Amino acid sequence: FCWLKCSNLFSVIKKINKIVNALNSKIQVMIFIDSDNEQIALAKNLGIHGIEINTGKYTDAYGNQKNIELKKIKESAKYAHSLNLYLAAGHGLTIKNITKIAAIREINEFNIGHSVIGEAIFYGLYESVNKIYAKINKWLKVLELIMWIFPD
């Protein structure tokens, strides 16, 4: 994967388009963007493989603002999924805040490397990876049960 990080997709759209066209046949290009449907639509128009939604505002928020940011991520995930974009989420995710993000079914990948490596200093890499993996899988099993009890 090629991760292109940009805070303002609109100002660099032509540069990104050139890069995507040059790389598209060789690698799967993804772009790191905010929970913004306009940015997601532009990403789709670039012909990229997928996006990574920036979860930083969610992980930094407190109180009701955290719920607002979570709602934005959920809506963006549904929109990206409807456009058949591969979807990742990350930035500031830890074992303490991954649960609600992991509950978003449209997300294919969670980028939590920084947190895992930080934990690995104290617990070892194997245990740190397994802890976060277990937390995500436990939550996904609960969601599957809920969906089985209350189908769409």
Side-chain angles (χ1 to χ4, degrees):
F1 292 100
C2 175
W3 300 91
L4 303 172
K5 296 195 179 202
C6 60
S7 60
N8 187 348
L9 183 60
F10 306 110
S11 68
V12 294
I13 195 85
K14 288 185 181 183
K15 289 179 184 177
I16 291 174
N17 203 3
K18 279 185 178 179
I19 293 168
V20 169
N21 288 334
L23 298 175
N24 216 11
S25 65
K26 299 177 189 335
I27 61 173
Q28 296 173 324
V29 178
M30 295 183 67
I31 298 176
F32 182 79
I33 61 177
D34 290 326
S35 298
D36 180 305
N37 286 353
E38 264 187 273
Q39 289 184 23
I40 295 168
L42 284 171
K44 176 64 177 178
N45 289 333
L46 287 172
I48 62 166
H49 172 67
I51 62 170
E52 179 179 349
I53 293 178
N54 179 1
T55 57
K57 290 180 182 177
Y58 166 76
T59 61
D60 291 342
Y62 292 95
N64 192 46
Q65 188 61 37
K66 196 165 202 80
N67 293 329
I68 292 168
E69 295 301 329
L70 181 63
K71 183 178 178 187
K72 288 179 187 177
I73 293 168
K74 287 179 180 178
E75 290 170 356
S76 294
K78 286 180 193 287
Y79 182 60
H81 182 73
S82 76
L83 297 177
N84 293 316
L85 287 168
Y86 182 88
L87 183 60
H91 190 77
L93 294 175
T94 68
I95 197 162
K96 294 178 181 175
N97 64 21
I98 189 72
T99 306
K100 290 184 179 178
I101 298 295
I104 303 171
R105 300 179 80 186
E106 292 82 6
I107 298 175
N108 305 103
E109 175 182 318
F110 307 101
N111 292 312
I112 52 173
H114 188 157
S115 172
V116 170
I117 297 303
E119 292 250 335
I121 293 169
F122 302 103
Y123 306 108
L125 189 57
Y126 182 81
E127 185 171 332
S128 298
V129 169
N130 282 326
K131 278 173 50 179
I132 196 82
Y133 184 77
K135 182 141 188 178
I136 291 169
N137 279 333
K138 180 181 176 185
W139 187 244
L140 291 176
K141 286 178 183 175
V142 169
L143 284 176
E144 286 175 11
L145 180 61
I146 291 169
M147 295 307 292
W148 182 75
I149 295 170
F150 303 104
D152 289 341

